[in-house]
């Protein structure tokens, strides 16, 4: 892992620790997060599970999303936790540890999956 990746991973761990240390009440820091959680039927337990077991995915504006993926469900099962019913829940955390929003989403969407738009792929199509 290069130094840049290590620094990003360390920041992500720090944000997760901040949000976990403040507990699930950290959602109260953002009215938007509270409203969206209520609208989307995502409770405090789902938020805590996403923060504890979720995959850290970098987002815009230096935010980090903690996403409960299939891999996260498997990791939790190894330590005896059944979190399958929380799959596809994501919690977006700001750099200061504030929970910005909570969503249900697919893994591809959370990771920003898009078809390749590099020059190389355009050249291949044109040929």
């Amino acid at each position: 892992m290069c130094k840049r990746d290590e620094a990003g991973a360390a920041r992500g761990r720090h944000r997760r620790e901040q949000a976990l240390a403040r507990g699930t009440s950290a959602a109260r820091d953002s009215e938007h997060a509270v409203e969206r959680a209520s609208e989307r039927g995502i409770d405090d337990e789902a938020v805590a599970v996403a923060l504890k077991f979720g995959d850290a995915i970098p987002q815009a504006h230096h935010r980090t999303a903690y996403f409960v993926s299939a891999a996260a469900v498997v990791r939790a099962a190894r330590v005896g936790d059944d979190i399958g019913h929380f799959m596809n829940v994501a919690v977006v955390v700001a750099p200061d540890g504030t929970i910005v929003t909570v969503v249900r989403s697919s893994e591809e969407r959370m990771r920003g999956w898009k078809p390749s738009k590099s020059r190389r792929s355009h050249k291949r199509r044109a040929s």
Side-chain angles (χ1 to χ4, degrees), residues 51-64:
L51 291 171
K52 184 174 181 181
F53 294 106
D55 300 330
I57 303 170
Q59 302 291 301
H61 307 290
H62 304 287
R63 296 175 178 164
T64 303

Side-chain angles (χ1 to χ4, degrees), residues 27-45:
R28 306 303 183 253
D29 291 349
S30 166
E31 282 186 43
H32 178 81
V34 172
E35 290 172 15
R36 295 302 171 261
S38 176
E39 289 172 1
R40 297 169 179 159
I42 299 171
D43 61 11
D44 285 348
E45 185 182 6

